[in-house]
Amino acid sequence: MIENINWGELPFGYMKTNYNVRCYYKNGKWGALEISSSEYINIHMAATSLHYGQEAFEGMKAFKGKDGKVRLFRWEENAKRMRKSAVGIRMAEVPNELFIDAVKKVIELNSEFVPPYGSGASLYLRPLLIGSGPQVGVKPANEYLFMIFVSPVGPYFKEGFKPVDMMITRDFDRAAPLGTGSIKVGGNYAASLNTLHEAHEKGFASAIFLDAKEKKYIDECGPANFFGIKNNTYITPKSDSILPSITNMSLLTIAEDIGLKTERRQVEAKELETFEEAGACGTAAVISPINSIIDASIGKTYTYSKDGKPGPISTKLYETLQGIQTGDIEDKFGWVELI
Ligand code: PLP
Ligand code: COI
């Protein structure tokens, strides 16, 4: 089966692999890590994840280097964010030790699915934490399931590192100002589905959400954060309703390291007119350069790429990030762990 995989053409999607790993929280404690070859989970019909959205997930990637070794990028940040998500919707927290044991085990068990160096693909890990115990009243579950499955993936936006078109939505909000936008819980994604569907139907790669309260500031680009570049400065929105992206946090560090200034602050939609380059960033998206952004309700189109090519700063950021992730560039920030 692995022989038939065309690593260079992989979409961002699900592929069956050998195993997944699971751990159950019962009677106030986590049990032993279990290995499963089933793609299904057996769950109580009154589980809180099914009724009240008590679930959180993570997204992370493992890369094969030129030396054949597998590298994991900033896993502690994913573990930390999953704990923040757990606290945010009153779930049991997954300790670091359990998180990394599960990550290492699931990679080891599926090692032949880690795409080869140079293919542009990587092994995507999807940690999932769900309320598995029954409740009918609106209350947190007493039991939880933490699991990780993996899938080899290509770029999230099928264009890869090529500029894409995005649209601004003013019809829907993804997250409320004091809601759950800053944690990685399923409800945020459910709330974005109509908008993303509309964007895809109209031929856009994604939709950009504005802040829910004033509809004045950029929040984020569907499943990725937004950044703009101007005057040698990397600018990215600060908002309480966006997911604090680990990729974005890394790009802020890389940007400073390569001599750019950085600003994390509110970004008014009208500032889009002034950027020289723009992009979306995230684990799945890596960096997706933006060609154009259409804000149809105010009749504006902003265009960034020249001759359909990514800008020079986005390109440098992309190459540096990928270089660190695959081991081609020295990991001077200590972000990579060899598995
Ligand atoms: N924003 C949203 C809503 C996301 O789902 C993701 C993906 O995890 C990101 C941003 C990017 O975050 P990260 O770089 O940590 O993957
Ligand atoms: C990621 O970038 O890892 C994500 O989780 C984004 C998306 C697939 C939900």
Side-chain angles (χ1 to χ4, degrees):
M1 181 192 162
I2 305 191
E3 300 75 53
N4 300 330
I5 300 177
N6 186 352
W7 300 106
E9 296 293 322
L10 280 179
F12 184 89
Y14 178 77
M15 181 188 287
K16 184 179 187 323
T17 62
N18 294 337
Y19 299 103
N20 54 80
V21 294
R22 305 165 180 209
C23 188
Y24 294 89
Y25 180 92
K26 283 185 186 145
N27 302 319
K29 55 177 193 301
W30 288 103
L33 195 61
E34 298 173 14
I35 297 168
S36 173
S37 57
S38 170
E39 292 173 281
Y40 295 90
I41 51 181
N42 195 11
I43 192 168
H44 195 289
M45 62 187 173
T48 59
S49 51
L50 300 178
H51 298 258
Y52 303 130
Q54 222 195 0
E55 80 89 31
F57 69 100
E58 273 301 323
M60 52 206 293
K61 280 179 173 170
F63 304 84
K64 198 168 273 178
K66 215 182 260 173
D67 53 9
K69 293 189 177 133
V70 178
R71 288 166 168 78
L72 198 58
F73 188 69
R74 306 196 77 173
W75 69 266
E76 276 177 292
E77 294 297 334
N78 293 95
K80 194 159 89 184
R81 192 168 65 190
M82 186 166 246
R83 282 198 296 278
K84 198 176 142 206
S85 299
V87 170
I89 55 170
R90 300 200 75 84
M91 296 196 287
E93 294 173 56
V94 176
N96 256 7
E97 307 75 62
L98 171 57
F99 191 91
I100 191 62
D101 280 357
V103 164
K104 287 185 175 164
K105 184 54 94 188
V106 79
I107 295 176
E108 187 191 308
L109 291 166
N110 296 292
S111 58
E112 66 263 48
F113 289 95
V114 185
Y117 171 80
S119 62
S122 54
L123 187 72
Y124 186 70
L125 281 77
R126 175 52 67 87
L128 180 68
L129 174 63
I130 64 173
S132 52
Q135 293 289 8
V136 180
V138 182
K139 277 188 267 189
N142 293 322
E143 295 179 3
Y144 293 87
L145 164 62
F146 167 59
M147 65 179 295
I148 309 185
F149 68 81
V150 299
S151 183
V153 295
Y156 188 76
F157 294 112
K158 64 180 187 319
E159 293 80 356
F161 188 62
K162 294 217 188 74
V164 296
D165 298 317
M166 298 204 180
M167 57 164 253
I168 286 185
T169 178
R170 290 170 185 272
D171 298 335
F172 288 100
D173 296 317
R174 173 188 168 273
L178 298 175
T180 53
S182 66
I183 54 176
K184 205 162 166 59
V185 297
N188 298 334
Y189 297 82
S192 74
L193 289 176
N194 270 320
T195 304
L196 294 181
H197 175 76
E198 180 193 338
H200 296 151
E201 286 282 292
K202 291 182 171 164
F204 297 101
S206 188
I208 298 182
F209 291 91
L210 300 181
D211 79 283
K213 195 169 175 185
E214 293 186 74
K215 291 275 190 286
K216 185 172 169 193
Y217 302 102
I218 305 282
D219 252 359
E220 58 182 331
C221 308
N225 278 182
F226 173 85
F227 68 85
I229 310 270
K230 66 177 172 188
N231 308 326
N232 210 39
T233 309
Y234 177 97
I235 299 161
T236 193
K238 184 170 160 55
S239 159
D240 290 337
S241 51
I242 66 178
L243 193 76
S245 155
I246 297 161
T247 313
N248 198 4
M249 189 167 54
S250 310
L251 290 174
L252 281 159
T253 304
I254 292 172
E256 291 196 356
D257 194 56
I258 62 174
L260 299 175
K261 289 185 278 256
T262 59
E263 291 174 13
R264 217 180 125 248
R265 57 163 169 81
Q266 287 184 310
V267 176
E268 278 195 47
K270 67 180 187 205
E271 196 178 342
L272 288 173
E273 200 135 40
T274 65
F275 291 125
E276 295 150 17
E277 296 178 34
C281 62
T283 298
V286 192
I287 286 183
S288 186
I290 298 178
N291 173 50
S292 73
I293 299 174
I294 296 191
D295 194 345
S297 49
I298 58 163
K300 287 260 184 197
T301 301
Y302 312 98
T303 305
Y304 302 103
S305 73
K306 307 206 171 44
D307 312 323
K309 294 206 181 70
I313 294 180
S314 302
T315 304
K316 176 80 181 159
L317 290 168
Y318 176 81
E319 286 171 353
T320 310
L321 176 67
Q322 287 237 305
I324 295 172
Q325 290 174 329
T326 55
D328 285 347
I329 294 179
E330 189 203 344
D331 172 30
K332 62 178 173 183
F333 309 111
W335 288 340
V336 171
E337 182 161 328
L338 289 176
I339 298 292

